[in-house]
Amino acid sequence: MTDKKSNDLEDLGKLPGFKRGNPTYFENEVIDHLISITLELGAELWVVKDRLAHVEEILSEENEISLSSLRTGKPSDLLQEQLDKERKEIIKRIYGRLYSKYGGETVDEKSAI
Amino acid sequence: MATNEAFYKRGKTAGVFPSLSSRRDEAYMNFIEDARNLLLHAQQKPIGEYSKLLLNNAGKSMEPDPSSTMEAVELLMKDNVLKTYYRIKRTLQESFWECTYNSLNMRKNDLLQALDDAEKIGPGSVTYDPSFSIPEYATSEIHIQPGGNANEPLSGLLYDYGSKVFMGGAADNDMFADMQASTVGVPKNNKVNRILDLGCSAGVTSSALKRIYPDAEVWGIDVSSHMVRYAHARAIEQNYDINFKQMLAEELNFDNNHFDIVVANLLFHEVPVSVSKKILSETLRVLRPGGSFTLIDFPGDKTRDVYTMFFGEMDAADNGEPFLPGFVRSNVEEIMEEVGFEMSPYDPSKFILAGRIGFKPNN
Ligand SMILES: C[S@@+](CC[C@H](N)C(=O)[O-])C[C@H]1O[C@@H](n2cnc3c(N)ncnc32)[C@H](O)[C@@H]1O
């Protein structure tokens, strides 16, 4: 049905992602790490911004705050909506430039489908 | 339902997914999901055009030519923008599993207890065998999900929340499964008493089918006991009467001519081609004459160009899909015909929103 070569799974093994653990895509693995580090920093920064916004919301409404409401509570729908918007803007602004070579920094959000 | 309280302790996310253990983890995953949408999914069109330009400049033809996919990989992966794209994809995938895994494991005992409790109640049922022998191919860490589908007791929950983030919101409220289920082939004479969902994972497609055919008896089977356990708990929460059972799709424990509809949603690219053929024969056996089989999965290589093949190949590697390239190259609609299905026209341009539909002949 198909030729032997194109069925050969060995080819797949040569792709960077197929190596378990820590695949590298750049000749210099430091670049791989730097990209991962910036993404991780972005995510952790977002976690702090989200937490701060949640703290502010609770304080402005109840004047009293508990650790458990921060850990396991959820912000109001209105705040969640604002956060969703801000998060997308931050991601676009910080990381979009990586794709500016072909105009990818201007694209609108899209799901997998 | 009281038994499911452990899953939904913090309520639901996007209508159906059990919320993660803490607000912190949710915020982290929100970031990952948006980053995937903005830095990966939204880039597919412009990055595709850019890649095609690179292929064109190098004098490579775009004609479907699967054997030259590796040449395209070599050429395109010299480009720093493309390396960046794939690096980001991999990092985000690793981060989302790490976060989901750690978050759910914080409550591991409670969650496992809730799965045990759910087994004892209905609607519907769950059956599995702790000594079930799992074929080796089914133990790989597909999607690089920690422990894979078969070897991690929380794999159902991991898979479910993972699919929320992976689909970038398209799976929210079980929307995506509903869209897919609406394309499932209607059997000849329209009679639908029994439905079988092969490789059901969290049971999302089984439930979507139950919404379309509320009076039908629905079965979801999966090689992983952890998946069917979670699928049952998820179905109870939605109050669906569905039977989940640990079973191999290539060794169906059902009578001949038993089902009116069989569905396999994204199962076939996760098994070796030799197993696919057995699954197809078994499916034909358990279908009644005139019954429909819908196989929803990626299009085959005959309908793809070099860039799409490159993209698929990279995806297979970065997403830990060992059997995807073999599946794509097998053009499974041809195997379905060889096995004896009467095929309906198939539109590969609809990607995974349309299946290959075959009927069991009437003789
Ligand atoms: C991508 S998931 C399917 C998603 C699911 N059908 C849905 O619509 O949400 C593939 C599933 O197939 C299961 N699987 C793999 N090989 C199998 C086999 N031979 N028989 C039954 N299930 C299998 C895996 O455990 C996994 O849960």
Side-chain angles (χ1 to χ4, degrees), chain B residues 137 149 159 199-201 204-205 221-224 227 247-250 265-267 270-271:
Chain B
Y137 72 80
N149 295 317
Y159 180 90
C200 63
S201 295
V204 173
T205 301
I221 66 116
D222 200 286
V223 60
S224 163
M227 284 290 179
M247 202 186 286
L248 286 173
E250 62 270 39
N265 189 0
L266 293 170
L267 164 68
E270 295 195 1
V271 301

Side-chain angles (χ1 to χ4, degrees), chain A residues 6 25 44 50 72 74 87, chain B residues 10 19 23 34 318 329:
Chain A
S6 62
Y25 297 76
E44 291 296 351
D50 182 274
T72 57
K74 295 190 184 201
R87 194 175 56 244
Chain B
R10 295 190 58 250
S19 293
R23 176 63 198 168
D34 279 348
D318 292 322
R329 288 170 186 143

